[in-house]
């Protein structure tokens, strides 16, 4: 970026430096191409009730609920057998669940450093822009743009689609059974899509209506899913006390010995922890981020890891290793064995878990395109917020529209698996950004500073998770994934680098403003 371009970017994104309750002191350099020195004190208070900006309404409890709620989806209830099958033994399976949690924790605390150094919403997008954006006018901002392009148009809406389809499956199945109705394949397809669209519609309304409503829904459904997990863990411990230990006594017998098998199992386990970085997407809305960002991570990651390990112990006390591996819904099978007539609680817990995860995904997805629009990497109207509710209505509607389009195909999960390695690309790049800023921003105040070995470990492991699957089983779908990512350059060159105006965009923006009651955020 040129100096003038960098200036305008910083000026457009400085809204986070003002807050009614937990203000962030503005830097002396703000508006001149630097994020400035960041301090956790609130000695300079700037408060104006007429300013149009998103407020800091996410507290510590809501922050923990967001991280836990987006990490724990349907996977731990439905398909934990994949990791067990690749691990080969209960002992190695439990170890890998713990190691995956440790790796995610290392990544998350690294994000705490970069998130408190750059207390802006947008996660990796804004970190890449700050670390590399000034290095070259053309190449510097590309990584940030590619991240936004991939997440906004693929990863977030596809995740929403898969979650909503899981919600539809586990909600419609008991209802249809209760009314003794068995639809044919086509009608079942239609019913599931209608339920999935309904799920997306409800979540979209909640997130557009109020940040407070969205966080309250997240809190309630996170507590609900933890309650379901507590029921399973409690039942497992009870059976463990009765002496049901034969499956656990297998220990490490039959463990996978090849590095490839263990790596595949590890890779599968990491997906269950995906979402640990979601709090970094909403830093500007987090109350006292210097305290609550790291504290939420320190609470959420160990809590999730303990839940994952203990729930697998519970499964192994009741079900055999082969039963877990072959099951399409492990928690449901466990519930039938243990809870009897009350086994309906498990599918209900899965429905609530998936709905909460989808809500958290929608909540964070809206902030990425909002920040990208604010930084000039997306249409301006995406950076606007509702004049009364102060929610990013347009980005939320965009994510929901793309999600609904993605529920139409018969099965997108298989295709999305091949895009999964892109997350590891961005995690690796974020660690590179952190290390780079140790030198380029070495004089900046860091409320948190992790040992350099931690981001190095996360970087190396992430790089392997990118290269490993492709090297072990190269498939043409990986090429398609990379092609989609690079296709973002088709839009970057004319619309971001050369700033070409799309004909009719101004008129369309005005129409959006009037229809959605949105306006630009206050510029400081």
């Amino acid at each position: 970026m040129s100096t003038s371009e960098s200036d305008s970017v910083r000026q457009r994104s400085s809204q986070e430096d003002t807050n009614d309750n937990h203000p962030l002191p503005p830097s002396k350099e703000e508006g001149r191409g630097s994020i400035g020195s960041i301090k956790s004190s609130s000695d300079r208070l700037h408060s104006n009730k007429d300013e149009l900006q998103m407020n800091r309404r996410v507290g510590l409890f809501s922050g923990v609920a967001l991280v836990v709620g987006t990490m724990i989806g349907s996977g731990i209830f439905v398909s934990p057998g994949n990791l067990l099958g690749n691990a080969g033994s209960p002992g190695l399976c439990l170890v890998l669940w713990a190691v995956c949690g440790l790796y995610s924790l290392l990544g998350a605390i690294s994000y705490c450093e970069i998130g408190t150094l750059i207390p802006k919403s947008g996660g990796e997008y804004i970190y890449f822009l700050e670390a590399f954006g000034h290095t070259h006018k053309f190449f510097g901002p590309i990584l940030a743009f590619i991240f936004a392009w991939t997440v906004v148009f693929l990863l977030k809406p596809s995740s929403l689609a898969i979650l909503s389809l899981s919600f539809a499956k586990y909600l419609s199945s008991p209802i249809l059974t209760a009314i003794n109705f068995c639809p044919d394949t086509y009608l079942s397809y239609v019913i599931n899509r209608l339920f999935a669209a309904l799920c997306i519609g409800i979540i979209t309304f909640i997130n557009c209506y109020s940040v407070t409503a969205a966080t309250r829904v997240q809190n309630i459904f996170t507590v609900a899913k933890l309650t379901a997990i507590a029921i399973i863990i409690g039942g497992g411990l009870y059976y463990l006390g009765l002496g049901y230990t034969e499956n656990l006594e297998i220990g490490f017998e039959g463990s996978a010995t090849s590095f490839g098998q263990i790596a595949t199992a590890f890779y599968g386990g990491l997906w269950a922890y995906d979402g640990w970085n979601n709090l970094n997407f909403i830093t500007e809305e987090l109350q006292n981020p210097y305290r609550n960002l790291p504290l939420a991570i320190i609470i959420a990651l160990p809590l999730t890891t303990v839940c994952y390990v203990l729930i697998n112990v519970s499964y192994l006390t009741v079900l055999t290793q082969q039963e877990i591996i072959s099951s399409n819904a492990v928690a449901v099978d466990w519930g039938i064995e243990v809870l009897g007539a009350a086994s309906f609680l498990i599918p209900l817990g899965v429905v609530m878990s998936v709905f909460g995860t989808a809500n958290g995904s929608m909540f964070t997805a809206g902030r990425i395109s909002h920040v990208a629009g604010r930084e000039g990497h997306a249409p301006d109207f995406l950076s606007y917020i509702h004049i009364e509710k102060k929610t990013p209505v347009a980005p939320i509607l965009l994510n929901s529209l793309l999600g609904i389009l993605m529920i139409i195909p018969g099965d997108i999960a298989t295709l999305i698996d091949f895009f999964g390695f892109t997350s590891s690309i961005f995690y690796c790049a974020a660690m590179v950004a952190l290390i780079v800023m140790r030198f380029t921003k070495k004089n900046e105040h860091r409320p948190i500073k992790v040992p350099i070995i931690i981001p190095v470990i996360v970087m190396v492991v992430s790089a392997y998770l990118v290269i490993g699957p492709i090297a072990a089983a190269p498939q043409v779908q990986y090429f398609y994934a990379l092609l989609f990512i690079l296709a973002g350059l088709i839009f970057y060159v004319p619309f971001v680098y050369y700033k070409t105006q799309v004909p009719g965009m101004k008129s369309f923006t005005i129409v959006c403003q009037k229809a959605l009651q949105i306006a630009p955020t206050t510029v400081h």
Side-chain angles (χ1 to χ4, degrees):
M1 286 185 177
S2 65
T3 303
S4 61
E5 288 172 335
S6 180
D7 293 349
S8 65
V9 165
R10 300 307 194 280
Q11 289 170 347
R12 293 173 65 188
S13 62
S14 60
Q15 66 149 319
E16 74 277 54
D17 292 323
T18 302
N19 178 249
D20 293 348
N21 300 318
H22 298 279
L24 298 181
S27 165
K28 294 179 181 179
E29 300 293 327
E30 193 64 39
R32 292 168 50 191
S34 171
I35 191 175
S37 178
I38 299 173
K39 301 177 181 179
S40 59
S41 62
S42 56
D43 53 339
R44 290 181 291 178
L45 178 63
H46 293 265
S47 179
N48 188 333
K49 299 297 183 183
D50 295 327
E51 290 174 344
L52 185 61
Q53 61 183 22
M54 290 192 288
N55 296 327
R56 296 185 182 275
R57 298 176 181 173
V58 181
L60 176 60
F61 184 85
S62 296
V64 173
L66 180 64
V67 177
V68 173
T70 50
M71 279 195 295
I72 303 177
S74 62
I76 193 62
F77 298 103
V78 178
S79 55
N82 291 336
L83 190 148
L84 177 59
N86 287 311
S89 70
L92 183 58
C93 171
L94 296 177
V95 169
L96 285 175
W97 277 112
V99 172
C100 288
L102 177 61
Y103 166 79
S104 300
L105 179 61
L106 293 179
I109 61 176
S110 297
Y111 270 54
C112 287
E113 173 178 335
I114 198 170
T116 52
L117 172 66
I118 306 171
K120 299 180 181 181
S121 294
E124 291 93 332
Y125 169 80
I126 203 69
Y127 305 153
F128 296 154
L129 201 60
E130 288 284 343
F132 310 119
H134 64 279
T135 58
H136 191 276
K137 184 178 180 180
F138 178 81
F139 294 105
I142 280 182
L143 183 57
F145 178 83
I146 290 297
F147 173 81
W149 161 261
T150 306
V151 173
V152 170
F153 288 99
L154 179 70
L155 297 183
K156 284 294 185 181
S158 64
S159 174
L160 179 64
I162 292 172
L163 288 167
S164 63
L165 287 172
S166 296
F167 171 86
K169 175 184 175 182
Y170 283 93
L171 180 64
S172 63
S173 181
I175 293 176
L176 295 177
T177 302
I179 63 176
N180 196 27
F181 179 66
C182 184
D184 58 27
T185 303
Y186 176 75
L187 186 56
S188 177
Y189 169 91
V190 173
I191 291 173
N192 280 338
R193 267 59 190 178
L194 289 175
F195 272 107
L198 178 64
C199 172
I200 294 176
I202 293 172
I203 292 171
T204 300
F205 173 78
I206 292 170
N207 280 268
C208 287
Y209 179 75
S210 168
V211 171
T212 301
T215 55
R216 284 178 180 173
V217 166
Q218 190 66 30
N219 295 347
I220 292 170
F221 280 85
T222 298
V223 170
K225 74 175 66 181
L226 289 177
T227 301
I229 289 174
I231 291 173
I232 297 175
I233 291 174
L237 293 178
Y238 173 75
Y239 270 70
L240 200 62
L242 294 178
Y244 286 76
T245 60
E246 56 269 23
N247 295 326
L248 292 170
E249 288 174 355
I250 297 174
F252 291 88
E253 183 181 339
S255 295
T257 54
S258 73
F259 187 75
Q261 278 184 292
I262 296 174
T264 302
F266 182 75
Y267 192 79
L270 287 179
W271 276 110
Y273 288 93
D274 193 46
W276 50 261
N277 61 329
N278 274 325
L279 205 56
N280 292 72
F281 291 134
I282 63 160
T283 309
E284 294 171 24
E285 298 171 75
L286 185 63
Q287 297 172 0
N288 193 4
Y290 304 112
R291 170 185 178 270
N292 289 338
L293 177 61
L295 195 55
I297 292 299
I298 291 172
I299 295 172
L301 266 296
L303 173 62
T304 303
T305 304
V306 170
C307 286
Y308 281 172
V309 172
L310 291 182
I311 200 172
N312 276 277
V313 169
S314 182
Y315 290 151
L316 286 164
T317 59
V318 177
L319 304 173
T320 66
Q321 185 173 336
Q322 190 55 45
E323 285 174 335
I324 294 173
I325 294 172
S326 60
S327 175
N328 291 323
V330 177
V332 174
D333 292 343
W334 181 94
I336 293 172
E337 291 287 335
V338 177
L339 301 180
S343 61
F344 71 91
L345 292 173
I346 301 302
L348 178 62
V350 175
V351 168
M352 299 186 74
S353 177
V354 171
F355 187 87
T357 303
N359 179 72
S361 177
M362 177 75 79
F363 186 78
T364 56
R367 275 60 183 173
I368 301 169
S369 47
H370 166 75
V371 175
R374 197 174 67 191
E375 302 290 351
H377 285 186
D380 284 342
F381 72 89
L382 290 176
S383 70
Y384 298 174
I385 64 175
H386 194 277
I387 56 177
E388 293 182 358
K389 303 299 183 181
K390 297 183 178 179
T391 54
V393 175
I396 292 171
L397 292 177
L398 173 63
N399 187 54
S400 62
L401 175 61
L402 294 172
I404 289 174
L405 291 175
M406 288 185 177
I407 68 174
I408 297 174
D411 181 22
I412 62 170
T414 302
L415 177 61
I416 297 308
D417 286 343
F418 292 102
F419 287 88
F421 75 100
T422 59
S423 296
S424 294
I425 293 176
F426 296 129
Y427 291 151
C428 180
M431 295 303 102
V432 174
L434 188 155
I435 295 170
V436 167
M437 286 190 285
R438 283 286 183 95
F439 299 95
T440 59
K441 296 180 181 290
K442 60 183 179 181
N443 295 324
E444 301 286 353
H445 174 65
R446 285 174 168 77
I448 296 174
K449 188 173 183 180
V450 300
I452 195 67
I453 189 62
I454 292 179
V456 169
I457 291 173
V458 176
M459 179 183 68
V460 171
V461 174
S462 298
Y464 172 77
L465 292 175
V466 173
I467 300 170
I470 300 176
Q475 299 183 51
V476 69
Q477 286 88 341
Y478 289 118
F479 174 74
Y480 294 153
L482 290 173
L483 198 63
F484 176 88
I485 293 172
L486 296 177
L489 297 177
I490 297 174
F491 299 92
Y492 174 80
V493 174
F495 301 121
V496 176
Y497 184 69
Y498 287 110
K499 304 187 184 302
T500 303
Q501 293 294 320
V502 178
M505 181 55 72
K506 288 185 178 180
S507 299
F508 180 74
T509 300
I510 293 172
V511 170
C512 288
Q513 284 189 262
K514 292 180 178 179
L516 303 178
Q517 295 292 293
I518 56 177
T521 53
T522 306
V523 177
H524 300 287

